[in-house]
């Protein structure tokens, strides 16, 4: 990976976290129990999921821990009484871990095996983009995602899109609407109707 590629990835990662942060801070007090497009998750569940994912990053990338080392440290509620503050702290720590010198050149040990940190960062970026749309829809925020983030997520997901539904973590893909945009293609690939 060139320095330019690393800089671009870190820029997209930062933008994705900022987008999700904006949506988290837009959640009104009465919306935390509202449903989301992720049928099993409320708004709080969705934010909790993304926050827990960010909490893993320093352990895996900076400390070189593996899944067994971390165990169930981030299971359950990681948001506490101040969900937006919990998200903010986790997002800052995750970005700092990925942005550290040499971090993207490392290998991390994920549940499915050893993975280049650069691939892990790309997956985390895409997850934040897609879940920012989910959160936007759930709370009535603007659903239009930034073009650069949509393009990045499409490039990331397209090679393995067919495997995602089989993982049980994503709904089966749906047919995008006629005259579809890049965003609607991305969402349809991930089982969402934009």
């Amino acid at each position: 990976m060139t320095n330019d590629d690393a800089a671009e990835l870190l820029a997209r990662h930062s933008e994705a976290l900022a987008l999700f942060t904006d949506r988290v801070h837009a959640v009104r007090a009465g919306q935390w129990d509202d449903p989301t497009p992720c049928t099993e998750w409320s708004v709080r569940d969705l934010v909790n999921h993304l926050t827990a994912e960010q909490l893993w990053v320093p352990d895996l990338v900076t400390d070189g821990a593996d899944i067994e080392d971390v165990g169930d440290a981030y299971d359950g509620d990681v948001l506490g009484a101040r969900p937006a503050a919990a998200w903010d702290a986790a997002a800052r720590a995750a970005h700092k871990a990925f942005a550290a010198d040499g971090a993207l050149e490392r290998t991390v040990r994920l549940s499915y095996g050893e993975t280049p940190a650069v691939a892990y960062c790309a997956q985390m970026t895409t997850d934040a983009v897609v879940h920012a749309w989910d959160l936007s829809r759930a709370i009535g925020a603007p659903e239009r995602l930034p073009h650069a983030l949509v393009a990045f997520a499409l490039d990331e997901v397209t090679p393995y899109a067919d495997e995602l539904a089989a993982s049980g973590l994503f709904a089966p893909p749906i047919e995008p609407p006629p005259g579809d945009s890049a965003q609607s293609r991305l969402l349809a690939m991930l089982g969402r109707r934009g």
Side-chain angles (χ1 to χ4, degrees), residues 106-166:
R106 297 178 187 144
T107 298
V108 295
R109 294 186 299 275
L110 303 177
S111 58
Y112 50 86
E114 291 195 351
T115 304
V118 66
Y120 179 40
C121 185
Q123 292 163 12
M124 293 288 283
T125 301
T126 298
D127 205 38
V129 171
V130 173
H131 285 316
W133 180 87
D134 292 329
L135 188 53
S136 297
R137 173 145 295 184
I139 67 171
E143 295 179 15
R144 176 64 42 212
L145 299 169
H147 175 73
L149 290 177
V150 170
F152 178 90
L154 263 175
D155 286 348
E156 171 64 21
V157 170
T158 299
Y160 55 82
D162 294 340
E163 302 164 21
L164 293 175

Side-chain angles (χ1 to χ4, degrees), residues 11-28 31-32 36-38 41-55 78-79 82-92 94-95 123-139 141-146 149 192:
R12 295 295 86 77
H13 181 254
S14 182
E15 291 163 11
L17 291 178
L19 177 64
F20 196 80
T21 297
D22 179 70
R23 297 310 188 262
V24 169
H25 284 270
V27 177
R28 295 185 304 278
Q31 292 183 308
W32 288 100
T36 70
C38 304
W41 288 344
S42 67
V43 167
R44 185 177 176 93
D45 294 332
L46 176 62
V47 174
N48 190 74
H49 164 72
L50 259 288
T51 302
E53 281 197 342
Q54 306 318 306
L55 291 171
V78 297
L79 297 179
R82 299 178 56 222
W87 161 259
D88 290 346
R92 276 192 306 272
H95 188 68
Q123 292 163 12
M124 293 288 283
T125 301
T126 298
D127 205 38
V129 171
V130 173
H131 285 316
W133 180 87
D134 292 329
L135 188 53
S136 297
R137 173 145 295 184
I139 67 171
E143 295 179 15
R144 176 64 42 212
L145 299 169
L149 290 177
R192 291 157 167 86

